[in-house]
Amino acid sequence: LSRGYLRSTNCLREIRAALEMGKPLVLVHEADPDKGGGTLAELRSECPEELRADIFDAGWPMVVWHRIAAFQHVSLKVIAEALLLKTPKYAGEDELPLCIPGEIRADGLAFPKPVVLWASTLNDGARGLADAVAAAVPDGISITDAPPSCLFSL
């Protein structure tokens, strides 16, 4: 999705055909305003009224397209997974373990020594994020809400 896409006669013909045939959609949202990116509200406003619910409210996977290679790889994996999960071979699956050769994977990462992660009680959501980080790195992170002693010397 980029500025002007939902005003293009040929693009709308493609979308209408896909919807009529019951084909799955994956919405790829251009993030860079210099490349036609816009907010979802702006892009939705360009969409013909009769298609808005079928495109924006139907629960289709939404992928943000970034211009940095590592993030593009993530976007491509999300697109591939969303489409593969709609095929008969993967019906009933919730996710697929896709990888790109040479990508950095979290399962091989580890800290050389124990790490303490401070989750400030003054920052809503900090503890939830800290818990998610700690869960992703088993045996490597402990969490505290006690302010680090180095803050007291500032």
Side-chain angles (χ1 to χ4, degrees), residues 5 15 18 36 38 69 73 85 88 98 102 105 120-121 124 126 137 141-142 144:
Y5 178 81
I15 291 171
H73 291 166
L85 288 171
L98 301 180
R105 304 216 11 125
S120 172
T121 56
D124 288 340
V137 184
I141 298 178
S142 59
T144 183

Side-chain angles (χ1 to χ4, degrees), residues 23-67:
K23 302 289 183 182
L25 298 181
V26 176
L27 305 178
V28 180
H29 179 204
E30 172 59 63
D32 186 345
D34 293 334
K35 305 289 186 190
T39 67
L40 286 178
E42 291 168 342
L43 299 174
R44 183 185 180 103
S45 72
E46 291 184 357
C47 184
E49 183 72 37
E50 73 275 7
L51 290 175
R52 286 183 189 165
D54 290 336
I55 294 172
F56 290 97
D57 302 330
W60 300 116
M62 171 76 68
V63 180
V64 176
W65 185 254
H66 295 279
R67 299 287 167 169

Side-chain angles (χ1 to χ4, degrees), residues 109-121:
L109 300 177
F111 292 105
K113 57 184 180 177
V115 171
V116 177
L117 180 57
W118 176 45
S120 172
T121 56

